[in-house]
Amino acid sequence: SSQLQARLESQINALKGQIDELKDTLDHERASNASKTAQLSAECDTAKVAAAKGEAKAKQQKEEADMTIESMRMALTMQMDAASVAAVASSSEAAAAAAVAVPAVAVA
């Protein structure tokens, strides 16, 4: 009976040692995971800031490109209008010259 009790106490002590070891391992893992989580969280925040900066830059570049396109469109429209006015003026001058020339020929 005392032999059985001694074996049980030995097993209990061994189990207590295993429990303490598991507690230490668990505490270490928790601390390690907390550190990793903090590091990943910081990296995530950094990536979000970089993404926001990139998005802002892309938006600005798009706005600049849109403004450039609109400016070019307006310049082209103005050139086309000017060419159209010049063509009308040129044809009006030609018609006026023809009208002036016709009576001159008719009079002669």
Side-chain angles (χ1 to χ4, degrees):
S1 174
S2 69
Q3 216 178 17
L4 179 60
Q5 180 136 1
R7 249 192 294 164
L8 288 175
E9 285 180 16
S10 173
Q11 288 176 347
I12 288 172
N13 287 334
L15 290 173
K16 283 182 180 178
Q18 288 177 352
I19 290 171
D20 289 341
E21 187 177 322
L22 289 173
K23 281 183 183 178
D24 290 345
T25 300
L26 182 60
D27 289 343
H28 180 286
E29 288 297 316
R30 283 182 179 160
S32 175
N33 286 336
S35 174
K36 286 179 187 177
T37 299
Q39 179 185 355
L40 291 174
S41 180
E43 289 175 10
C44 184
D45 291 343
T46 301
K48 285 179 183 178
V49 168
K53 285 180 181 178
E55 186 177 349
K57 185 174 182 178
K59 184 177 179 181
Q60 178 184 0
Q61 288 176 343
K62 182 190 180 307
E63 288 174 1
E64 289 172 0
D66 288 346
M67 288 172 41
T68 300
I69 289 170
E70 187 58 31
S71 180
M72 292 172 73
R73 185 177 294 139
M74 288 175 57
L76 181 60
T77 300
M78 289 171 63
Q79 286 178 351
M80 290 172 56
D81 289 347
S84 176
V85 167
V88 168
S90 176
S91 81
S92 295
E93 288 174 6
V100 168
V102 170
V105 172
V107 171

